[in-house]
Short mmCIF file of all heavy atoms in Angstrom, two decimals:
data_model
loop_
_atom_site.label_atom_id
_atom_site.label_comp_id
_atom_site.label_asym_id
_atom_site.label_seq_id
_atom_site.Cartn_x
_atom_site.Cartn_y
_atom_site.Cartn_z
N MET A 1 -37.00 -7.54 -39.08
CA MET A 1 -36.35 -6.16 -38.78
C MET A 1 -34.76 -6.31 -38.53
O MET A 1 -34.10 -5.29 -38.67
CB MET A 1 -36.97 -5.68 -37.51
CG MET A 1 -38.39 -5.11 -37.57
SD MET A 1 -38.63 -3.50 -38.26
CE MET A 1 -38.87 -2.44 -36.86
N THR A 2 -34.41 -7.46 -38.06
CA THR A 2 -33.06 -7.58 -37.65
C THR A 2 -32.42 -8.73 -38.53
O THR A 2 -33.07 -9.59 -39.09
CB THR A 2 -32.80 -7.96 -36.17
OG1 THR A 2 -33.58 -9.00 -35.90
CG2 THR A 2 -33.22 -6.73 -35.40
N TYR A 3 -31.09 -8.71 -38.55
CA TYR A 3 -30.33 -9.69 -39.47
C TYR A 3 -29.31 -10.36 -38.61
O TYR A 3 -28.95 -9.93 -37.62
CB TYR A 3 -29.44 -8.87 -40.44
CG TYR A 3 -30.08 -8.34 -41.60
CD1 TYR A 3 -30.93 -7.21 -41.41
CD2 TYR A 3 -29.85 -8.71 -42.89
CE1 TYR A 3 -31.45 -6.51 -42.54
CE2 TYR A 3 -30.31 -8.10 -43.92
CZ TYR A 3 -31.18 -7.06 -43.73
OH TYR A 3 -31.73 -6.48 -44.85
N THR A 4 -28.85 -11.54 -39.18
CA THR A 4 -27.75 -12.17 -38.55
C THR A 4 -26.75 -12.37 -39.79
O THR A 4 -27.09 -12.69 -40.95
CB THR A 4 -28.00 -13.60 -38.16
OG1 THR A 4 -29.18 -13.40 -37.26
CG2 THR A 4 -26.92 -14.25 -37.46
N GLU A 5 -25.41 -11.88 -39.50
CA GLU A 5 -24.45 -12.08 -40.43
C GLU A 5 -23.97 -13.51 -40.57
O GLU A 5 -23.70 -14.08 -39.43
CB GLU A 5 -23.32 -11.07 -40.27
CG GLU A 5 -22.35 -11.17 -41.50
CD GLU A 5 -21.03 -10.28 -41.21
OE1 GLU A 5 -21.14 -9.19 -40.51
OE2 GLU A 5 -20.02 -10.70 -41.58
N VAL A 6 -23.89 -14.22 -41.76
CA VAL A 6 -23.53 -15.54 -41.84
C VAL A 6 -22.38 -15.62 -42.89
O VAL A 6 -22.24 -14.67 -43.72
CB VAL A 6 -24.62 -16.45 -42.25
CG1 VAL A 6 -25.72 -16.51 -41.14
CG2 VAL A 6 -25.32 -16.10 -43.58
N PRO A 7 -21.58 -16.76 -42.97
CA PRO A 7 -20.66 -16.88 -44.05
C PRO A 7 -21.41 -16.94 -45.37
O PRO A 7 -22.49 -17.51 -45.41
CB PRO A 7 -19.86 -18.10 -43.69
CG PRO A 7 -20.24 -18.59 -42.28
CD PRO A 7 -21.63 -17.85 -41.96
N ILE A 8 -20.81 -16.59 -46.39
CA ILE A 8 -21.46 -16.74 -47.79
C ILE A 8 -21.55 -18.15 -48.07
O ILE A 8 -20.53 -18.90 -48.02
CB ILE A 8 -20.54 -16.02 -48.80
CG1 ILE A 8 -20.47 -14.49 -48.59
CG2 ILE A 8 -21.04 -16.29 -50.20
CD1 ILE A 8 -19.59 -13.73 -49.40
N PRO A 9 -22.79 -18.65 -48.35
CA PRO A 9 -22.96 -20.10 -48.69
C PRO A 9 -22.00 -20.52 -49.83
O PRO A 9 -21.86 -19.78 -50.78
CB PRO A 9 -24.44 -20.18 -49.13
CG PRO A 9 -25.10 -18.93 -48.56
CD PRO A 9 -24.02 -17.86 -48.47
N GLU A 10 -21.40 -21.75 -49.67
CA GLU A 10 -20.49 -22.26 -50.55
C GLU A 10 -21.05 -22.26 -51.97
O GLU A 10 -20.31 -21.91 -52.88
CB GLU A 10 -20.13 -23.71 -50.06
CG GLU A 10 -19.13 -23.87 -49.02
CD GLU A 10 -17.84 -23.20 -49.41
OE1 GLU A 10 -17.28 -23.30 -50.50
OE2 GLU A 10 -17.27 -22.45 -48.48
N ASP A 11 -22.35 -22.77 -52.11
CA ASP A 11 -22.83 -22.86 -53.57
C ASP A 11 -23.10 -21.49 -54.27
O ASP A 11 -23.36 -21.45 -55.49
CB ASP A 11 -24.15 -23.69 -53.48
CG ASP A 11 -25.21 -22.95 -52.63
OD1 ASP A 11 -24.85 -22.21 -51.72
OD2 ASP A 11 -26.34 -23.32 -52.78
N LEU A 12 -22.93 -20.43 -53.47
CA LEU A 12 -23.19 -19.09 -54.13
C LEU A 12 -21.80 -18.40 -54.40
O LEU A 12 -21.78 -17.34 -55.10
CB LEU A 12 -24.11 -18.22 -53.18
CG LEU A 12 -25.48 -18.49 -53.07
CD1 LEU A 12 -26.27 -17.53 -52.16
CD2 LEU A 12 -26.20 -18.48 -54.41
N LYS A 13 -20.72 -18.86 -53.78
CA LYS A 13 -19.43 -18.16 -53.86
C LYS A 13 -19.06 -17.68 -55.28
O LYS A 13 -18.70 -16.53 -55.60
CB LYS A 13 -18.37 -18.81 -53.16
CG LYS A 13 -18.35 -18.77 -51.72
CD LYS A 13 -17.08 -19.32 -50.94
CE LYS A 13 -17.15 -18.88 -49.58
NZ LYS A 13 -16.29 -19.76 -48.73
N GLU A 14 -19.18 -18.65 -56.19
CA GLU A 14 -18.81 -18.36 -57.57
C GLU A 14 -19.61 -17.18 -58.21
O GLU A 14 -19.14 -16.31 -58.86
CB GLU A 14 -18.98 -19.64 -58.39
CG GLU A 14 -18.09 -19.75 -59.69
CD GLU A 14 -18.14 -21.07 -60.35
OE1 GLU A 14 -17.80 -22.06 -59.62
OE2 GLU A 14 -18.54 -21.10 -61.51
N GLN A 15 -20.94 -17.33 -58.03
CA GLN A 15 -21.94 -16.45 -58.53
C GLN A 15 -21.69 -15.02 -57.85
O GLN A 15 -21.69 -13.90 -58.51
CB GLN A 15 -23.39 -16.85 -58.16
CG GLN A 15 -24.36 -16.13 -58.96
CD GLN A 15 -25.74 -16.60 -58.59
OE1 GLN A 15 -26.07 -16.90 -57.51
NE2 GLN A 15 -26.67 -16.77 -59.60
N VAL A 16 -21.33 -14.97 -56.66
CA VAL A 16 -21.06 -13.75 -55.89
C VAL A 16 -19.97 -13.05 -56.47
O VAL A 16 -19.86 -11.97 -56.79
CB VAL A 16 -20.94 -13.95 -54.29
CG1 VAL A 16 -20.33 -12.79 -53.67
CG2 VAL A 16 -22.29 -14.33 -53.79
N ASP A 17 -18.81 -13.88 -56.70
CA ASP A 17 -17.61 -13.28 -57.30
C ASP A 17 -17.90 -12.76 -58.65
O ASP A 17 -17.43 -11.59 -58.99
CB ASP A 17 -16.53 -14.37 -57.34
CG ASP A 17 -15.93 -14.64 -56.09
OD1 ASP A 17 -16.19 -13.88 -55.06
OD2 ASP A 17 -15.24 -15.74 -55.85
N GLU A 18 -18.61 -13.49 -59.40
CA GLU A 18 -19.00 -13.09 -60.78
C GLU A 18 -19.72 -11.68 -60.85
O GLU A 18 -19.41 -10.68 -61.51
CB GLU A 18 -19.82 -14.10 -61.54
CG GLU A 18 -20.19 -13.80 -62.91
CD GLU A 18 -21.38 -14.63 -63.45
OE1 GLU A 18 -21.58 -15.79 -62.82
OE2 GLU A 18 -21.97 -14.25 -64.46
N TYR A 19 -20.75 -11.65 -59.98
CA TYR A 19 -21.60 -10.39 -60.06
C TYR A 19 -20.95 -9.21 -59.30
O TYR A 19 -21.24 -8.07 -59.58
CB TYR A 19 -22.98 -10.72 -59.43
CG TYR A 19 -23.90 -11.30 -60.47
CD1 TYR A 19 -23.85 -12.70 -60.62
CD2 TYR A 19 -24.50 -10.52 -61.38
CE1 TYR A 19 -24.72 -13.38 -61.63
CE2 TYR A 19 -25.26 -11.02 -62.39
CZ TYR A 19 -25.36 -12.39 -62.52
OH TYR A 19 -26.19 -12.96 -63.60
N ARG A 20 -20.02 -9.52 -58.36
CA ARG A 20 -19.29 -8.43 -57.71
C ARG A 20 -18.38 -7.79 -58.68
O ARG A 20 -18.18 -6.51 -58.79
CB ARG A 20 -18.45 -8.90 -56.49
CG ARG A 20 -17.98 -7.72 -55.62
CD ARG A 20 -17.60 -8.19 -54.28
NE ARG A 20 -17.43 -6.90 -53.39
CZ ARG A 20 -16.31 -6.25 -53.12
NH1 ARG A 20 -15.22 -6.87 -53.53
NH2 ARG A 20 -16.34 -5.21 -52.32
N GLY A 21 -17.80 -8.59 -59.45
CA GLY A 21 -16.86 -8.15 -60.60
C GLY A 21 -17.61 -7.38 -61.58
O GLY A 21 -17.23 -6.24 -61.93
N LYS A 22 -18.87 -7.76 -62.02
CA LYS A 22 -19.62 -6.90 -62.94
C LYS A 22 -20.07 -5.64 -62.29
O LYS A 22 -20.12 -4.63 -62.95
CB LYS A 22 -20.98 -7.86 -63.31
CG LYS A 22 -20.74 -8.93 -64.17
CD LYS A 22 -22.08 -9.65 -64.49
CE LYS A 22 -21.82 -10.79 -65.53
NZ LYS A 22 -22.96 -11.63 -65.74
N LEU A 23 -20.37 -5.68 -60.97
CA LEU A 23 -20.69 -4.39 -60.31
C LEU A 23 -19.63 -3.34 -60.37
O LEU A 23 -19.80 -2.22 -60.73
CB LEU A 23 -21.19 -4.68 -58.78
CG LEU A 23 -21.21 -3.51 -57.91
CD1 LEU A 23 -22.25 -2.54 -58.25
CD2 LEU A 23 -21.47 -3.94 -56.47
N ILE A 24 -18.39 -3.91 -60.08
CA ILE A 24 -17.30 -2.99 -60.03
C ILE A 24 -17.00 -2.44 -61.48
O ILE A 24 -16.77 -1.27 -61.57
CB ILE A 24 -15.98 -3.72 -59.45
CG1 ILE A 24 -16.22 -3.96 -57.87
CG2 ILE A 24 -14.75 -2.80 -59.57
CD1 ILE A 24 -15.20 -4.92 -57.29
N GLU A 25 -17.10 -3.31 -62.35
CA GLU A 25 -16.86 -2.94 -63.82
C GLU A 25 -17.82 -1.88 -64.24
O GLU A 25 -17.47 -0.97 -64.88
CB GLU A 25 -16.90 -4.22 -64.71
CG GLU A 25 -15.60 -4.88 -64.96
CD GLU A 25 -15.85 -6.11 -65.86
OE1 GLU A 25 -16.32 -5.96 -66.90
OE2 GLU A 25 -15.66 -7.22 -65.27
N ALA A 26 -19.13 -2.05 -63.91
CA ALA A 26 -20.07 -1.11 -64.34
C ALA A 26 -19.97 0.20 -63.76
O ALA A 26 -20.22 1.22 -64.40
CB ALA A 26 -21.58 -1.69 -63.93
N VAL A 27 -19.36 0.32 -62.55
CA VAL A 27 -19.35 1.61 -61.89
C VAL A 27 -17.97 2.28 -62.06
O VAL A 27 -17.69 3.40 -61.72
CB VAL A 27 -19.85 1.71 -60.45
CG1 VAL A 27 -21.28 1.15 -60.40
CG2 VAL A 27 -18.87 0.83 -59.58
N ALA A 28 -17.00 1.46 -62.45
CA ALA A 28 -15.56 1.88 -62.45
C ALA A 28 -15.34 3.05 -63.35
O ALA A 28 -14.39 3.80 -63.06
CB ALA A 28 -14.68 0.75 -62.91
N GLU A 29 -16.10 3.28 -64.42
CA GLU A 29 -15.82 4.27 -65.38
C GLU A 29 -16.05 5.75 -64.74
O GLU A 29 -15.72 6.68 -65.10
CB GLU A 29 -16.60 4.16 -66.66
CG GLU A 29 -18.11 4.31 -66.30
CD GLU A 29 -18.89 4.40 -67.70
OE1 GLU A 29 -18.95 5.40 -68.32
OE2 GLU A 29 -19.49 3.35 -68.06
N PHE A 30 -16.79 5.65 -63.50
CA PHE A 30 -16.93 6.84 -62.77
C PHE A 30 -15.88 7.14 -61.78
O PHE A 30 -15.89 8.10 -61.06
CB PHE A 30 -18.36 6.83 -62.11
CG PHE A 30 -19.53 6.96 -63.03
CD1 PHE A 30 -19.97 5.92 -63.81
CD2 PHE A 30 -19.95 8.28 -63.39
CE1 PHE A 30 -20.96 6.09 -64.66
CE2 PHE A 30 -21.01 8.42 -64.39
CZ PHE A 30 -21.49 7.34 -64.90
N ASP A 31 -14.98 6.21 -61.74
CA ASP A 31 -13.98 6.44 -60.74
C ASP A 31 -12.63 5.64 -61.27
O ASP A 31 -12.52 4.45 -61.06
CB ASP A 31 -14.37 5.83 -59.44
CG ASP A 31 -13.50 6.21 -58.20
OD1 ASP A 31 -12.29 6.57 -58.46
OD2 ASP A 31 -13.86 6.34 -57.08
N ASP A 32 -11.68 6.41 -61.71
CA ASP A 32 -10.45 5.86 -62.29
C ASP A 32 -9.70 4.99 -61.30
O ASP A 32 -9.11 3.96 -61.55
CB ASP A 32 -9.55 6.86 -62.98
CG ASP A 32 -10.34 7.55 -64.11
OD1 ASP A 32 -11.26 6.85 -64.66
OD2 ASP A 32 -10.02 8.61 -64.50
N ALA A 33 -9.64 5.58 -60.07
CA ALA A 33 -8.77 4.89 -59.02
C ALA A 33 -9.37 3.55 -58.71
O ALA A 33 -8.72 2.52 -58.45
CB ALA A 33 -8.83 5.81 -57.72
N LEU A 34 -10.73 3.43 -58.83
CA LEU A 34 -11.43 2.19 -58.44
C LEU A 34 -11.10 1.13 -59.61
O LEU A 34 -10.79 0.05 -59.26
CB LEU A 34 -12.93 2.39 -58.56
CG LEU A 34 -13.82 1.40 -57.98
CD1 LEU A 34 -13.63 1.43 -56.46
CD2 LEU A 34 -15.27 1.63 -58.24
N LEU A 35 -11.02 1.55 -60.80
CA LEU A 35 -10.65 0.65 -61.90
C LEU A 35 -9.36 0.14 -61.68
O LEU A 35 -9.05 -1.12 -61.81
CB LEU A 35 -10.87 1.34 -63.23
CG LEU A 35 -10.95 0.41 -64.54
CD1 LEU A 35 -12.01 -0.47 -64.36
CD2 LEU A 35 -10.99 1.26 -65.81
N GLU A 36 -8.36 1.05 -61.37
CA GLU A 36 -6.95 0.61 -61.17
C GLU A 36 -6.85 -0.51 -60.09
O GLU A 36 -6.24 -1.49 -60.27
CB GLU A 36 -6.06 1.78 -60.79
CG GLU A 36 -5.52 2.61 -61.88
CD GLU A 36 -4.75 3.74 -61.50
OE1 GLU A 36 -4.06 3.68 -60.51
OE2 GLU A 36 -4.92 4.74 -62.13
N LYS A 37 -7.56 -0.16 -58.94
CA LYS A 37 -7.53 -1.11 -57.83
C LYS A 37 -8.14 -2.36 -58.23
O LYS A 37 -7.81 -3.49 -57.79
CB LYS A 37 -8.42 -0.55 -56.67
CG LYS A 37 -7.58 0.23 -55.62
CD LYS A 37 -8.47 0.57 -54.49
CE LYS A 37 -7.82 1.34 -53.47
NZ LYS A 37 -8.68 1.68 -52.32
N PHE A 38 -9.19 -2.39 -59.07
CA PHE A 38 -9.86 -3.64 -59.55
C PHE A 38 -8.90 -4.50 -60.26
O PHE A 38 -8.91 -5.71 -60.00
CB PHE A 38 -11.11 -3.20 -60.43
CG PHE A 38 -11.84 -4.50 -60.95
CD1 PHE A 38 -12.35 -5.35 -60.08
CD2 PHE A 38 -11.95 -4.68 -62.27
CE1 PHE A 38 -13.08 -6.56 -60.58
CE2 PHE A 38 -12.63 -5.73 -62.78
CZ PHE A 38 -13.15 -6.67 -61.85
N PHE A 39 -8.00 -3.83 -60.98
CA PHE A 39 -7.08 -4.71 -61.81
C PHE A 39 -5.90 -5.18 -60.96
O PHE A 39 -5.35 -6.36 -61.17
CB PHE A 39 -6.56 -3.99 -62.98
CG PHE A 39 -7.66 -3.83 -64.02
CD1 PHE A 39 -8.01 -2.58 -64.64
CD2 PHE A 39 -8.35 -5.08 -64.50
CE1 PHE A 39 -8.97 -2.56 -65.60
CE2 PHE A 39 -9.29 -4.93 -65.48
CZ PHE A 39 -9.65 -3.71 -66.08
N GLU A 40 -5.50 -4.29 -59.96
CA GLU A 40 -4.22 -4.70 -59.18
C GLU A 40 -4.74 -5.60 -58.08
O GLU A 40 -4.15 -6.71 -57.86
CB GLU A 40 -3.61 -3.33 -58.73
CG GLU A 40 -2.90 -2.69 -59.93
CD GLU A 40 -2.46 -1.36 -59.51
OE1 GLU A 40 -2.42 -0.92 -58.30
OE2 GLU A 40 -2.21 -0.58 -60.51
N SER A 41 -5.60 -5.02 -57.11
CA SER A 41 -5.93 -5.93 -55.98
C SER A 41 -7.43 -5.59 -55.60
O SER A 41 -7.70 -4.76 -54.86
CB SER A 41 -5.18 -5.54 -54.71
OG SER A 41 -5.17 -4.21 -54.52
N PRO A 42 -8.31 -6.40 -56.26
CA PRO A 42 -9.71 -6.07 -56.05
C PRO A 42 -10.25 -6.16 -54.64
O PRO A 42 -11.19 -5.46 -54.14
CB PRO A 42 -10.45 -7.20 -56.79
CG PRO A 42 -9.48 -8.07 -57.35
CD PRO A 42 -8.14 -7.46 -57.26
N GLU A 43 -9.51 -6.89 -53.76
CA GLU A 43 -9.91 -6.98 -52.34
C GLU A 43 -9.63 -5.78 -51.65
O GLU A 43 -10.18 -5.58 -50.53
CB GLU A 43 -9.31 -8.29 -51.64
CG GLU A 43 -7.80 -8.26 -51.63
CD GLU A 43 -7.04 -8.56 -52.94
OE1 GLU A 43 -7.79 -9.17 -53.86
OE2 GLU A 43 -6.02 -8.22 -53.12
N ALA A 44 -8.87 -4.82 -52.23
CA ALA A 44 -8.55 -3.59 -51.53
C ALA A 44 -9.54 -2.50 -51.72
O ALA A 44 -9.53 -1.37 -51.07
CB ALA A 44 -7.23 -3.04 -52.00
#
């Protein structure tokens, strides 16, 4: 029922970055501002 937030495990960091990028790309066509941000500063 409850969670604990933990740091992202080291061995998953690369995979997480890859799939987060894929997620943003997949939905960016529905939001132009999002796509711009993705290219300029994805962390924003």
